[in-house]
């Protein structure tokens, strides 16, 4: 600080910052807690891969029971905060919000076996699709695609249960880790396979069938968002039927665009209209200029 | 270790590594401290969203004052290290560097209200532009675009104040979190909107006006960097005038390329020349091959 | 929780989750330990940039010796777990696995001076290639390309030594930080330069010569992975000879595709056949539609 | 675990433990938080000695303001829990308890300047009394007597404000650190000096005047506690008037025992009756047996 | 460091230290783990007082089950290390030691309900004995006597099960916290009451009946330990029958000294011979010298 | 907070606290760092007992070298702060203080082998003296007497080297852990044995020969400290010649009191005059009153 920085200067600086604030919401979900919740669900989904220790003494029954109790507790608190926030209620988590958030947390816990079942189909699809994968352990442990899909599937269940804000915080966490941005509102079938992943965008109203494969840089997006908030709730993103494959850096845009069952879309394509089932679409290799240097 | 790994082997291994070193700079900024500084500035910019607790007792005035004092202190230390490093001075932060770094830290603090003002225009632009956004809270809390822009705006102020190394460490931190790489030297107007974000590159000498929107995979780059270090300081990246929109996966290259006011550049375009104001540029949809499988 | 959630409900919920598990592998490498190992190797490779403190008292010889001992110890343990896991042996790290993993850890330590030597060529290439780079310190400290290359080079040495699982966990860690996905099985020469980086994919059987430069969004991939696991071990990814440059968003695919010495591949290209040495390939700029709004 | 330890055995063991529990209070103050509160008050009382950093930038005004806000907040929460616990109310901190605890926390904050004033007299007394003390810094920093007295003075204020449980947790914390056990209910004047300290006991209804000195192993206790709970609230411990000195390992017992102004009680004495002012009491040196070995 | 401190000086310093070492045992129990184990047992013994959170969702059954599994696991590992250490076996925890330590850990778990039962009698005795105690919560939460007794009871069970080293580490931990030093080998009945506590010593071969009360500074010790190691295993410390009370600063010494049922020993006594049942022993108040100052 | 607690009230409260401060010293040693230094020295003194891990890979030579470098560095910084503080110099650790503190830190490192040698004699004395001790491991690991002696010996070396403040902070740390208060200025010979320990006080000018044993509650103190600061530097505490034993709760007072070689002082004695060599002193057992209850 320069010698002449008097106490008065500092005070007026602080006042300038404070005066620039308008009112703030008083209760918000806690991001660290939400990431903790994600980790707990993932430990329940793949217990062998995330447990620190494994010994004869550890009885899985108590381990799972204890973690589910703690998970339900944490989830209830964050859901309560998110509900209050969304309805711009003021004050603490009162009786109504507490009861509703407890029902939601319990309902989520009952979905865990189903989540595990569908995620194992995604692992199978990845093993089938990637010749570089050595075994399922490697896929669960190290593949960003499986990480992003598992976070999406968890977030999507909460989205379906009507939880605001938290699902999006979850998928943005996966986005920052993997570069794969799947909106929690999207609907995705079983045996979903993402290769490499960086740069994938799956929009809010996308519908994806079973046995679908997508590669890095694929966008399933809206034709235009010029309407902004007025488009909220409308189907703006495409539909991919069962067994569709979309190769890298391809964009498929528009809420009325349907890629029919079994279609294969080549790399670098730009699709804004529907494609019939069983069709292979590829861009003609662009003309290239060869010049000796 | 194999049984025959004698003490001598280990010592010679250590010597081999030590001998491979040449001299090292003795003072460098600390990356963890710089990320801490970023978080503190962001708390000052959006106090409601990052505060852990919210109670009647907490008086914003003291909270802000205390944090600004701590921030100024931390920033001064890192700036001092960066200044010394840049000028390859040896030794500790002496009198001259301390005085200069304190002036810079103080000058940065005075910019916070202005930073807050411009960032709120970016939040407004995001709410307008994304139908999936529920409200401003969600945007500030969870949108990678806003994260990257806020880090850029902080880093840019330090860049303007002549701080070496630290601005780039800040924007690379945001790059690793969001996949959005904005060089701190770029100049960007208000109401800037980035959708999804992964894969965006904004080069050092880019100029961007107000109300500009860009989508994932957009590169605002140099035509060539073949000249390497000899190009340092020259304008190598494009200019986007007010109200320009650039859709996904488009590259706009070259220091003399100017995209005129209100122009809209479609997805997947590759622009190396200027575009007049008020023009819509779209690539002709590439010819596609449809083949029934 | 709703009032009527009885103890029995919770127990049956827990049982439903437990019953959904099949058997789990009992020993797996620990991801946090592996990231620690990476950080230690990087400290040994660039000691000045990652050391917390620097004083007269710290004698580099003991610092390096102590860190190498600790590194060898940690690495041996994780390699042992990875070996056991891969061979689906049950039980603890027995005599054979311990001896083998200690040999591997020791062999890795002997590679550190060579790793340092080749990485410094990558730093040189980056300084030459990027006009925005101020000096080597900034590159080592803040450039994602150098981070990803250093992690790849470490992982590749372990891959060559026959270590399963760990190299992939390492490169996926770099992938999540940088968006650059280099398979540890790839072979890459010296003076390798990656600019910006997000969205780069370098496949398992890729071969890259010396003085090669690649830009963001480049894929060095397989033509098809339709054969899945049956393709394991086959060369599926391209070869880039010395001094090749590949600009952004270009895909080069196929195990028989060879890009000849000194060739330059322009942005957005899609290459599935070999390119002769000394050739510049660029896609014809796609036709564009200009329309006044 | 022995091989024959079946799942049933473990379950019955768990049930045996669970069945041994009776009901538990649902809300209790948090010990870690209380120790945190103690540390914060001590930082406010002696700001120079506990601050981590000291730089030109740190403005004491904001530092103190921010810490007092946080302290008031933390204290209010723990007081609320303690009030609920004491009255065996069930449920969360409701409106009445919250309002009362906020009043108490605020009242405590107003006592801080007075606490600081009286503690500085204790520091003065210690410097006067101990020839081994180099200066006030050493005393505040390293003397267990000053630690115990400062914790007692803080706890006593809360005791006077009617806070249950927390004052005792505070003084037991000081007891475990210093071996000095001062009940928060005791009344102690200014310029209080404790030398060495280990083994000192000052009972709940003790009254101590100004300028009093006590040495290690001194007990100011009850003659008998045979009546147990029936004695609660009665004066059971002695009164020491101004300027009394009590040397080591002396016990002074009984609620009606008054040590008059300026009296000096020698080491190893056992006092159960009043001592007039200005009297020196010493035990006759016990007869000793000298035997050549 | 002085300028002339050459590398050679440092190396010879290091060698001097290394050469001063003789061989070291390679496996020792871990003190932090043992303190963790203590905390876990105490949580199982008083679940309401140490649980961080208490909500409807937390089902005690799973909480206890999970903690017992983890406790058994941790205890088994430390017992294994202690067994190996004691028998000066070299190497890792082999098959025999593992099996034995698992049996011991399991046997300890079965003792938890009994431990809880006897500790609640100690809490009752404390409430009866101390008029300053407000309720059982305060005693369990804040009384050093109960802390020391609970640690002793846990350590004693392990001592009875033949575990070396660990019980002593546990009681020394309590000693450092409370100043109460109870050897894990002592045998102590139910309803044991310790007031204040600092300076209490209870020797290895002490036997204490039910309903015994002791005050601060009491030593139950050996007459002499001049024989050193040759006395190992002999009864060297006194026996206190049921309902004995020993007031502060009294020493009772010798393995043949028996304090009969219901006896009351006054403060400051020095007892080296047996005392018949139902006797009150008090030292004659030492002659005191009163002198007006 | 009560509803009517206005911003003004809080501000005036803060001002009241700030105004109660007088000036503060700007640089003080850091207590956590000093405890860290103690732990590092103890690891160097007993490397097997405090190392976390022990494997074939860890080479003691590098481990010790690295720790000594780090220790020297940390010690130099704290000594510099202590020197500045003592001389009430203002400002940072300038050239003179840095050079002096580096010399002191280096001198301390050279004392480590000697410290280790003398501490092993204390361990031997403890094994000889305590029939409850199983082996040296238990003593080093768990005995508070050895902890206090080792901290005293470290602090004494720094005291001899002229370091202010830090030695006292070290011995007060041991005091709080063990209840044993040995002033760093005391001079103590080899084969020193402390049993149990709580309540021991060894004053600043005490001199203790070789093979001395003392028990809990022993005070080696001053006859009077009435002179306060005027006594500073004078010999106020007793001298114990070789092979003296002092049993529990005995006080030996006065700077001219000399306990001759081989003397044995019984429990509860109160010695203010010299005792000839080879004498056994015991208090006559006080008369006791036996009364049947």
């Amino acid at each position: 600080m320069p010698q002449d920085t008097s106490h008065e200067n500092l005070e007026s600086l602080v006042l300038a910052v404070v005066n620039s604030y308008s009112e703030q919401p008083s209760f918000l979900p806690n991001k660290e807690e939400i990431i903790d919740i994600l980790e707990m669900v993932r430990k329940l989904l793949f217990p062998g891969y995330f447990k620190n220790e494994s010994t004869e003494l550890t009885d899985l029954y108590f381990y799972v029971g204890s973690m589910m109790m703690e998970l339900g507790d944490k989830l209830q608190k964050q859901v309560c905060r998110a509900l209050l926030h969304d309805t711009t209620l003021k004050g603490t988590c009162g009786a109504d919000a507490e009861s509703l958030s407890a029902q939601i947390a319990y309902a989520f816990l009952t979905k865990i076996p189903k989540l595990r079942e569908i995620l194992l189909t995604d692992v199978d699809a990845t093993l089938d699709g990637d010749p570089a994968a050595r075994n399922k352990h490697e896929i669960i442990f190290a593949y960003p695609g499986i990480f992003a899909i598992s976070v999406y599937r968890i977030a999507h269940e909460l989205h379906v249960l009507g939880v605001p804000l938290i699902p999006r915080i979850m998928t943005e966490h996966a986005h920052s880790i993997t570069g794969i941005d799947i909106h929690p509102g999207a609907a995705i079938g079983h045996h979903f396979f993402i290769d490499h992943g960086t740069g994938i965008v799956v929009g809010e109203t996308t519908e994806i069938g079973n046995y679908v494969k997508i590669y890095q840089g694929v966008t399933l997006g809206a034709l235009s968002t010029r309407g902004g908030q007025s488009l909220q709730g409308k189907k703006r993103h495409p539909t991919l039927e069962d067994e569709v494959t979309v190769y890298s850096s391809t964009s498929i845009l528009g809420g009325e665009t349907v890629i029919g069952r079994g279609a294969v879309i080549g790399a670098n394509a730009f699709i804004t209209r529907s494609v019939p089932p069983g069709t292979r679409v590829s861009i003609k290799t662009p003309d290239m200029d060869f010049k000796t240097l």
Side-chain angles (χ1 to χ4, degrees), chain A residues 76-238:
Chain A
Q76 185 269 327
K77 279 185 194 149
Q78 297 305 315
V79 169
C80 192
R81 289 180 161 222
L83 290 173
L84 285 170
H85 162 77
D86 197 53
T87 56
T88 66
L89 291 174
K90 294 290 180 192
T92 57
C93 272
D96 288 356
E98 274 203 11
S99 164
L100 179 55
S101 58
Q103 281 171 38
I104 289 171
Y106 184 78
F108 179 78
L109 294 183
T110 65
K111 300 288 178 59
I112 288 175
K114 191 189 108 188
L115 272 171
R116 182 167 153 80
E117 200 181 310
I118 197 168
L119 263 163
L120 290 178
T121 70
D122 302 324
V123 173
D124 283 343
T126 304
L127 188 62
D128 282 356
D130 182 1
R134 290 292 171 271
N135 50 49
K136 290 190 188 181
H137 306 322
E138 190 183 67
I139 290 167
I140 294 173
F141 217 157
Y143 271 52
I146 284 298
F147 181 83
I149 295 171
S150 66
V151 171
Y152 154 76
R153 294 209 184 279
I154 293 163
H156 180 67
E157 286 300 335
L158 290 169
H159 174 91
V160 166
L161 289 165
V163 178
L165 206 47
I166 293 174
R168 185 68 187 261
I169 293 171
M170 288 178 164
T171 57
E172 279 304 331
H173 174 65
H175 186 188
S176 81
I177 300 288
T178 63
I180 301 169
D181 177 4
I182 310 178
H183 195 284
I188 302 180
H190 56 72
H191 286 87
F192 185 46
F193 170 50
I194 291 177
D195 201 9
H196 301 295
T198 308
I200 284 176
V201 175
V202 178
E204 183 182 17
T205 61
T206 306
E207 291 172 76
I208 294 178
N210 304 318
Y211 296 102
V212 169
K213 302 180 183 184
I214 64 179
Y215 288 76
Q216 72 268 20
V218 166
T219 295
L220 306 178
L223 265 168
S224 160
T225 56
R226 188 152 290 254
Q229 290 291 321
S230 70
L231 298 173
Q232 200 170 317
K234 295 200 179 142
K235 183 154 179 23
R236 307 179 305 278
H237 308 93

Side-chain angles (χ1 to χ4, degrees), chain A residues 23-40:
Chain A
E23 64 168 326
Q24 303 296 340
S26 59
F27 260 88
L28 283 164
N30 180 294
K31 196 170 175 178
E32 280 71 33
E33 280 293 295
I34 291 169
I35 293 173
D36 244 37
I37 286 166
L38 264 182
E39 279 311 292
M40 291 176 82

Side-chain angles (χ1 to χ4, degrees), chain A residues 268-283:
Chain A
N268 295 324
F270 189 82
I271 309 283
T272 57
R273 303 208 190 140
S274 293
V275 170
T279 310
R280 172 175 198 100
V281 183
S282 48
I283 56 166

Side-chain angles (χ1 to χ4, degrees), chain A residues 29-76:
Chain A
N30 180 294
K31 196 170 175 178
E32 280 71 33
E33 280 293 295
I34 291 169
I35 293 173
D36 244 37
I37 286 166
L38 264 182
E39 279 311 292
M40 291 176 82
V41 180
R42 275 168 38 86
K43 278 180 185 160
L44 287 169
L45 293 173
F46 304 115
Y49 302 91
F50 301 99
K51 224 187 318 168
N52 293 328
E53 295 285 335
S54 171
T55 76
E56 300 300 317
L57 257 181
T58 306
D59 189 330
L60 214 50
Y61 177 65
F62 289 110
Y63 175 77
V64 167
S66 167
M67 185 168 283
M68 285 180 76
M69 298 305 100
E70 192 186 345
L71 169 60
D73 192 17
K74 277 171 176 274
L75 184 56
Q76 185 269 327

